[in-house]
Coordinates of all heavy atoms in Angstrom, one line a residue:
Y430 N -46.7 -8.8 3.2 CA -47.6 -7.7 2.8 C -48.0 -8.0 1.3 O -49.2 -7.9 1.0 CB -47.0 -6.4 2.9 CG -47.8 -5.2 2.5 CD1 -48.8 -4.7 3.3 CD2 -47.7 -4.7 1.2 CE1 -49.6 -3.7 2.8 CE2 -48.5 -3.7 0.7 CZ -49.5 -3.2 1.5 OH -50.3 -2.2 1.1
Q434 N -51.9 -8.9 -0.2 CA -52.6 -8.1 -1.1 C -52.9 -8.8 -2.4 O -53.9 -8.5 -3.1 CB -51.8 -6.8 -1.3 CG -51.6 -5.9 -0.1 CD -52.9 -5.4 0.4 OE1 -53.8 -5.0 -0.3 NE2 -53.0 -5.3 1.7
L435 N -52.0 -9.7 -2.9 CA -52.1 -10.2 -4.2 C -52.3 -11.7 -4.4 O -52.4 -12.2 -5.5 CB -50.8 -9.8 -5.0 CG -50.5 -8.3 -5.0 CD1 -49.1 -8.0 -5.7 CD2 -51.6 -7.6 -5.8
L438 N -55.3 -12.7 -6.4 CA -55.1 -12.4 -7.9 C -54.2 -13.3 -8.6 O -54.4 -13.8 -9.7 CB -54.6 -10.9 -7.9 CG -54.7 -10.3 -9.3 CD1 -56.2 -10.1 -9.7 CD2 -54.1 -8.9 -9.3
L450 N -52.9 -9.5 -13.2 CA -51.8 -8.8 -12.5 C -51.2 -7.8 -13.5 O -50.9 -6.7 -13.1 CB -50.7 -9.8 -12.0 CG -49.5 -9.1 -11.4 CD1 -49.9 -8.4 -10.1 CD2 -48.4 -10.2 -11.1
L453 N -53.5 -4.9 -13.9 CA -53.5 -4.1 -12.6 C -52.2 -3.2 -12.6 O -52.2 -2.1 -12.3 CB -53.5 -5.0 -11.4 CG -53.4 -4.2 -10.1 CD1 -54.6 -3.2 -9.9 CD2 -53.4 -5.2 -8.9
L457 N -52.2 0.8 -12.5 CA -51.6 1.5 -11.4 C -50.4 2.5 -11.9 O -50.3 3.6 -11.4 CB -51.0 0.6 -10.3 CG -52.0 -0.3 -9.6 CD1 -51.3 -1.3 -8.8 CD2 -52.9 0.6 -8.7
I484 N -60.9 -7.7 -11.3 CA -59.8 -7.4 -10.3 C -60.4 -7.0 -9.0 O -59.9 -7.5 -7.9 CB -58.8 -6.4 -10.9 CG1 -58.1 -7.0 -12.1 CG2 -57.8 -6.0 -9.8 CD1 -57.2 -6.0 -12.8
E485 N -61.4 -6.0 -9.0 CA -62.0 -5.5 -7.8 C -62.6 -6.7 -7.0 O -62.5 -6.8 -5.7 CB -63.0 -4.4 -8.1 CG -62.3 -3.1 -8.5 CD -63.4 -2.1 -8.8 OE1 -64.5 -2.5 -9.3 OE2 -63.1 -0.9 -8.6
V488 N -59.6 -9.1 -5.5 CA -58.8 -8.5 -4.5 C -59.6 -7.9 -3.4 O -59.1 -7.6 -2.3 CB -57.8 -7.5 -5.0 CG1 -56.9 -8.1 -6.0 CG2 -58.5 -6.3 -5.6
A490 N -61.3 -4.9 -3.4 CA -60.9 -3.5 -3.1 C -61.5 -2.7 -4.2 O -61.8 -3.1 -5.4 CB -59.4 -3.3 -3.2
D491 N -61.8 -1.4 -3.9 CA -62.4 -0.4 -4.9 C -61.2 0.3 -5.6 O -60.5 1.1 -4.9 CB -63.3 0.6 -4.2 CG -63.9 1.6 -5.1 OD1 -63.7 1.5 -6.3 OD2 -64.6 2.5 -4.6
L492 N -61.0 0.1 -6.9 CA -59.9 0.7 -7.5 C -60.1 2.2 -7.7 O -59.1 2.8 -8.2 CB -59.7 0.0 -8.9 CG -59.2 -1.5 -8.8 CD1 -59.0 -2.0 -10.2 CD2 -58.0 -1.6 -8.0
G495 N -58.1 6.0 -3.8 CA -56.7 6.3 -3.8 C -55.9 5.4 -2.8 O -54.8 5.0 -3.1
E496 N -56.5 5.2 -1.7 CA -55.8 4.4 -0.7 C -55.7 3.0 -1.2 O -54.6 2.4 -1.0 CB -56.6 4.4 0.6 CG -56.0 3.6 1.7 CD -56.8 3.5 3.0 OE1 -57.8 4.2 3.1 OE2 -56.4 2.7 3.9
A497 N -56.7 2.4 -1.8 CA -56.7 1.1 -2.3 C -55.6 0.9 -3.4 O -54.8 0.0 -3.4 CB -58.0 0.6 -2.8
R498 N -55.6 1.9 -4.3 CA -54.6 1.9 -5.4 C -53.2 2.0 -4.8 O -52.3 1.3 -5.3 CB -54.8 3.0 -6.4 CG -56.0 2.8 -7.3 CD -55.9 3.5 -8.6 NE -55.7 5.0 -8.4 CZ -56.7 5.8 -8.3 NH1 -58.0 5.4 -8.4 NH2 -56.4 7.1 -8.2
A499 N -53.0 2.8 -3.7 CA -51.7 2.9 -3.1 C -51.2 1.6 -2.5 O -50.1 1.2 -2.7 CB -51.7 4.0 -2.0
R500 N -52.2 0.9 -1.8 CA -51.8 -0.3 -1.2 C -51.4 -1.3 -2.3 O -50.4 -2.1 -2.1 CB -53.0 -0.9 -0.4 CG -53.2 -0.1 1.0 CD -54.2 -0.8 1.9 NE -55.5 -0.6 1.4 CZ -56.3 -1.5 0.9 NH1 -55.8 -2.7 0.6 NH2 -57.5 -1.3 0.5
L501 N -52.2 -1.4 -3.3 CA -51.9 -2.4 -4.4 C -50.7 -2.0 -5.1 O -49.9 -2.9 -5.6 CB -53.1 -2.5 -5.3 CG -54.4 -3.1 -4.7 CD1 -55.6 -2.9 -5.6 CD2 -54.1 -4.6 -4.5
H502 N -50.4 -0.7 -5.3 CA -49.2 -0.3 -6.0 C -47.9 -0.7 -5.3 O -47.0 -1.2 -5.9 CB -49.2 1.2 -6.2 CG -48.0 1.8 -7.0 ND1 -47.8 1.4 -8.3 CD2 -47.1 2.6 -6.6 CE1 -46.7 2.0 -8.7 NE2 -46.2 2.7 -7.7
V503 N -47.9 -0.5 -3.9 CA -46.8 -1.0 -3.1 C -46.6 -2.5 -3.2 O -45.5 -3.0 -3.4 CB -47.0 -0.6 -1.7 CG1 -46.0 -1.2 -0.8 CG2 -46.9 1.0 -1.5
A504 N -47.8 -3.2 -3.2 CA -47.7 -4.7 -3.2 C -47.2 -5.2 -4.6 O -46.3 -6.1 -4.6 CB -49.1 -5.3 -3.0
V505 N -47.7 -4.6 -5.7 CA -47.2 -5.0 -7.0 C -45.7 -4.7 -7.2 O -44.9 -5.5 -7.7 CB -48.0 -4.4 -8.1 CG1 -47.4 -4.6 -9.5 CG2 -49.5 -4.9 -8.1
T506 N -45.3 -3.5 -6.7 CA -43.9 -3.1 -6.8 C -43.0 -4.0 -6.0 O -41.9 -4.4 -6.4 CB -43.7 -1.7 -6.4 OG1 -44.6 -0.8 -7.1 CG2 -42.3 -1.2 -6.5
A507 N -43.5 -4.4 -4.8 CA -42.7 -5.3 -3.9 C -42.6 -6.7 -4.6 O -41.5 -7.3 -4.6 CB -43.3 -5.4 -2.6

Side-chain angles (χ1 to χ4, degrees):
Y430 177 83
Q434 299 295 324
L435 301 175
L438 194 65
L450 176 63
L453 177 61
L457 295 172
I484 290 172
E485 289 178 327
V488 301
D491 180 6
L492 294 183
E496 179 185 354
R498 288 206 302 271
R500 286 190 284 108
L501 289 170
H502 183 59
V503 170
V505 171
T506 304

